[in-house]
Amino acid sequence: AGTMAARRVENSEEPDAILRLSTAGDARVSAEHKLLEGVSKQISDPFWNIYYPPLRWNCRCDVEKTLSGAITPGIPSGAIDGVLPMFRTNFAKEGVVFPPEHPYYKIE
């Protein structure tokens, strides 16, 4: 989350930038994350409020910045299924390390 947050801060310096989501591209990539491979959206698109990596524990997804390229219309069907509710956020944009519902805060 920290690495991706730093990348988000770097990328936000160019508001017209397009971000492209990529996976590790190997057999360990989940089916849901494969659906997101290659999705490209402007950095200001609300898509990144939910789908900015990490998208789950041990997520190896990444984003690449480009200043040109085709924008992916819509969101692939079923993609949200692979993102746990606690990861449906942009940690860098929200300025958090752990979302409020993270088990780290659960006191027993």
Side-chain angles (χ1 to χ4, degrees):
T3 300
M4 295 310 299
R7 184 157 305 143
R8 171 69 164 85
V9 170
E10 291 171 8
N11 291 337
S12 66
E13 295 173 2
E14 298 180 54
D16 294 332
I18 296 170
L19 299 181
R20 180 181 177 273
L21 196 141
S22 62
T23 66
D26 59 21
R28 292 177 33 209
V29 175
S30 70
E32 294 88 357
H33 290 207
K34 284 180 185 177
L35 291 172
L36 296 168
E37 175 72 42
V39 170
S40 298
K41 306 264 186 193
Q42 281 193 305
I43 194 168
S44 59
D45 193 294
F47 171 86
W48 299 115
N49 293 340
I50 294 176
Y51 294 99
Y52 195 86
L55 303 173
R56 70 173 185 194
W57 302 111
N58 299 317
C59 178
R60 299 172 300 140
C61 290
D62 199 358
V63 292
E64 302 164 312
K65 177 182 70 174
T66 181
L67 295 175
S68 63
I71 301 292
T72 305
I75 299 170
S77 177
I80 194 70
D81 299 338
V83 183
L84 295 171
M86 73 166 38
F87 285 95
R88 293 178 190 175
T89 189
N90 184 320
F91 294 103
K93 190 173 178 182
E94 298 298 321
V96 298
V97 176
F98 302 109
E101 63 275 4
H102 192 283
Y104 180 79
Y105 297 115
K106 186 175 182 182
I107 299 173
E108 294 183 18

